[in-house]
Structures are given as C-alpha cells and as structure tokens.
Amino acid sequence: MTFKIYVNHSFLLFLLAISYSSPYLILPFKILKNHTNSSILYSNALLDDHLYNPLLINMSISRPDNYICTFLDTNTDKLSFVNNYIIKDLKNNYNKEDSNTLKIIGKYDITESVVSETLIFYNDINNFNSKIIVEDIYIIEKNNYNKNYNISLNLGIKVKNVNNYIKNNVNTKKIETNLIIQLKKKNIISSTNFYVKYEAIIKDSIKYDGYIVLGEEPHASSSNKNILNENDLVKTTCGNEFGEFNWYITFDEIFFYNTKNNETEKSQNNETIYVNYQRVIYSKAQISPNLGLIISTNEYFYEIEKIFFQKLIDKGICYSAYISGYKFDIIYCFTSMLTSNELESFPSIHFKNFIFNYDFELTYKDLFFEQGKYTFFSIIRQDSFRNEENDFDIGSKWEFGLPFLKKYFLTFDYDNRLIGFYKQTNKSMETYNIGSENTLAKVLLIMILCILFAIICFFCSRRIFRKKRILNDGKDSFAIKKPFIANELLNYDEK
C-alpha cells in the first residue's frame, strides 16, 4: 500500500513537471488577404489585396471552446481589446459580457481601463496537441467600446520606449500590459525572445501560414538543433526613428547595380547606385509583419523607375500610377507584354549590414508577382514632402513586409531591444519542417528521461514520507490541467 502511494505521488509530480516544462508558447496564424475578382482586376488591386495583410492569430480565451481574432500590432506595446472597423466579418464566439473569467482591474486613463482574462496557448512545437492555460492576463480596453461591433485582440509588439506601467486605482499596484513581459513575469516563458516563422502547417484540421514563438530562441528548440547553430546567431540593436524605438534594422549600404549591355550584375563595368544618401535618415528599415509589400524611400523608387522601368513605360508595357486613396506610388506591367528577359534583367537591391556581416539581396524573383493580367512590382513609395532646409524627405522610409520576411529569418529580443539573424544557416531554414528530426531517436530519448525522472520522484517522495510530511490533497497549490482539442479553433473560410 505504501509503495502504491509512493508511485502515485511520483507520477503526480512527473505530470506536473511535464505540464510546465515548456519554456515557450506557440501562436499559429493565417495571413489575411483580400481576393479581388480577377475578371474585374484593376491596377490598384496591388494595394487593395497586399498592402495590409495582418497575421490573424487563433487565440482561445476564457475557455478552450472560445476564441477571439487576434492581430500583431507594431504600433503599440500593449495587449488590448479593440473594435476592428477595418476587417469585416470577424467571426468570434467570445463575448466579454458572458465571460466568467473576465475581471475589472481599474482605470488606465480617462478613456481606457484595465481588465484581466484567461488566455490559452499551444506549448508544444512538435505536435501542437499540448496547451497551457494562463490566468489573469492584463488587457487594455476602451471605456466606451461598441458592444454591437466586431471586437478583436491586438497583441502589441512595439519596442518599449519607457516603463509603461499603470497604477491600479484600487490598490496602486503596478500593472504590466505587454503580453510577452507578463508571461515572463509569470514564469510561463523562459525569456522575452520571440520570432515569426512563415511556414505552412496543418493543425487540428486547420491550415495555417505560419506560427509565432514566444519565449525561446530558435536554436534552443529541439526541432531546430540540427539546423540552427547558436554560434551563427548575430544580434544588432534595434534602431529608432526621431527618438521613437521600434523594430528597425540599420543598414550601412543600400545599393543596386546599373547593368549595361546585358552584363552580369556584379561586373566591374556596372555602375553602383547607392540609395542611402542621408545615412541617418534613409538607412533604417522597419520590420512590419502585417505589410504585404515593401515600402521604399523616394530616392530608391525614383532611381529604379528612371534606370529600369522608364524604357518599359515608354513602350506602354509598364505604368507608374499614384493611388490617391492610399497615397502611394505603384508600378505595374501587362504580363502578356513583359518578356522573361526583361524581368530577369531587373537589378537586385542589396542591403548590407556590417554587424551581421551579411548582404541581404532581393532579386526579381522576390519583387515581382502576377495577379490577373498584371505583373506587380512589390516595392511601393509612400507620399512624403521635401524639407529643403534640412535636405531630406519627411515621411520617406524603408519598411519591410512579407517579400523580405519570408526570405530572411529574424529573431527579436524584447528585453534587450535586439534583432537577431542566423547569417550562415538562414537559407536552410526555408526547408525546415516541424517534426523533421529523427522521430525514433526522439521517442527513445524521451522514454529514457521519463524513466529516470520517475525513479528520482519515487525516491524523493519516499524520503518525504519517511519524514512524515503528510500532504493534504484538498489543499494542493496546483491543479493539473487536462489537455483539450477544440473542435473549431478558427471560424475562417479559405478563399
């Protein structure tokens, strides 16, 4: 009988350990796109369909069968409930008014308050079957939000510029409203590192375009150990724009080659066109996961239009257009009139960073795509104005969206404001698939570790009982959460 008690107690400790052993959390996402009817396609469909492609995260909230549409937000560092007036037909089944886990915490300012809720995350990158429930996550909400309109959850990942604490009006307790920092303080994740992996996966019969990992660097994952080397990870401090920090990479050189007489791009006879004249102003690029395109500076857009596109525009093959509704310049071509030789002769754009010791190159394969009868150039120019006194264009900037982020894998260190890059093994990440390591070896290793852990727990519990430390089952300080699989995690139809 005593032996049975020892075994049961050891097994209980073992279950507790494996339930909370994961140092990271997983957020699968879809890339939400509009789909213009190709039969009525027009030139500014480029912006209609690709300018704003938010990462739609499946987030279980309050209980496993409740979900809310959640989006990454690079304009704030807070987790917040918002009325989403941009994306129509959001399909949530979460209702704040009916939630029995929602708690009112206090006022944030005149227009906003703080509440807390229970969020549910994946915590196993290999099979996505394991989940963890995290209670009392602080969320900002508007005091006068529209109850009859779509509500979504914004996950702010902007770099903190100050300690954005607030005081609870009840007990003056400091409250953190950033999700990543909250999870770290609760010891749910082991660090404030995170990364976005663009990789198609199917979990619980739902097709996702990728996943976000919170709390771990990629090389630390057992699934990546044979692919990524920690020694290849180089980090640089994120930049700022006019004193405002965000996820900016500062480049030392931005250029392309003006090819002549069909020579190869790196021929010595080619002219190198540098497009970071004002290095302090024009050499930073903001990382924007919700952007489906790349926004460039005026300098690059005008130079590439003059050197490459103008001859095609003169022939009526390509067109440059200003879309007043969006305030962007775009370039598009008629696919039937554009030859493969003309497309392949497009000069690649290079972004050199000396700390990374790497030349980030975007070729024509990265920067052109077909839709309907058009071939679109993925780089656009935002409307700006000239400051003649200081000799720079206000509003002119680089902003990297999907064409860059799908090709180059980056990591982010929230606490230390660092952006990381695996300079030697980045290309191999393109072929990485979840669960690609030797499954048999992995299973055997887990079995051996489980047996050793069970033996340790057995002897530890035996020692406890010998000292007559009686545990009161009715006053346990923890509760084992039973795993669950929601039947429908995201009510979102594929288009």
Side-chain angles (χ1 to χ4, degrees), residues 69 160 411:
C69 291
K160 274 186 175 296
T411 69

Side-chain angles (χ1 to χ4, degrees), residues 309-473:
F309 285 106
Q310 190 59 54
K311 58 182 179 291
L312 299 175
I313 293 173
D314 293 341
K315 294 178 182 179
I317 298 173
C318 298
Y319 293 86
S320 176
Y322 177 70
I323 310 301
S324 58
Y326 290 97
K327 296 183 178 180
F328 280 101
D329 282 311
I330 69 170
I331 296 176
Y332 62 97
C333 307
F334 285 101
T335 303
S336 60
M337 300 176 66
L338 186 66
T339 67
S340 58
N341 287 336
E342 288 169 331
L343 198 60
E344 291 172 8
S345 66
F346 178 81
S348 301
I349 178 73
H350 298 261
F351 301 87
K352 279 192 174 182
N353 181 284
F354 294 162
I355 294 178
F356 288 149
N357 190 25
Y358 199 86
D359 179 357
F360 297 85
E361 179 183 7
L362 297 176
T363 70
Y364 77 94
K365 294 181 180 179
D366 306 309
L367 297 177
F368 290 88
F369 66 92
E370 293 183 24
Q371 184 169 326
K373 62 182 179 179
Y374 298 120
T375 294
F376 288 107
F377 185 42
S378 295
I379 296 181
I380 60 178
R381 186 199 74 88
Q382 190 171 22
D383 200 4
S384 61
F385 64 94
R386 187 75 174 171
N387 185 320
E388 299 294 344
E389 181 180 353
N390 295 316
D391 192 26
F392 68 88
D393 298 321
I394 297 176
S396 179
K397 64 178 181 179
W398 284 99
E399 193 167 347
F400 288 164
L402 293 181
F404 184 91
L405 298 177
K406 282 186 174 182
K407 183 172 185 178
Y408 294 108
F409 180 63
L410 303 174
T411 69
F412 305 91
D413 183 341
Y414 202 95
D415 260 351
N416 299 307
R417 297 177 177 174
L418 298 175
I419 298 175
F421 176 71
Y422 293 87
K423 62 179 182 179
Q424 297 297 328
T425 54
N426 202 268
K427 291 184 179 180
S428 66
M429 287 294 293
E430 298 174 3
T431 60
Y432 166 66
N433 293 310
I434 291 178
S436 60
E437 69 268 27
N438 190 312
T439 305
L440 179 60
K442 178 183 171 183
V443 171
L444 290 174
L445 177 62
I446 292 176
M447 290 178 63
I448 293 172
L449 292 175
C450 290
I451 293 172
L452 290 175
F453 189 84
I455 293 172
I456 293 172
C457 290
F458 170 76
F459 284 105
C460 289
S461 59
R462 183 176 180 181
R463 183 174 181 181
I464 292 173
F465 274 90
R466 280 181 176 177
K467 293 183 178 181
K468 298 181 180 181
R469 294 179 180 178
I470 301 173
L471 296 177
N472 186 342
D473 293 336

Side-chain angles (χ1 to χ4, degrees), residues 41 52 69 86 104 110 122-123 127 144 182 199 201 226 245 273 278 285 289 330 359 388-389 409:
L41 192 64
Y52 181 55
C69 291
I86 298 177
I104 306 294
I110 297 176
Y122 291 98
N123 67 339
N127 56 35
N144 58 345
Q182 287 188 70
E199 175 185 85
I201 56 174
N226 296 329
F245 282 91
I273 308 297
Q278 286 273 11
I330 69 170
D359 179 357
E388 299 294 344
E389 181 180 353
F409 180 63

Side-chain angles (χ1 to χ4, degrees), residues 82-90 92 145-152:
V82 296
N83 283 124
N84 199 312
Y85 299 101
I86 298 177
I87 301 173
K88 299 179 180 179
D89 302 323
L90 290 182
N92 300 324
Y145 79 96
N146 190 339
K147 299 179 182 179
N148 299 318
Y149 208 87
N150 288 329
I151 188 172
S152 63

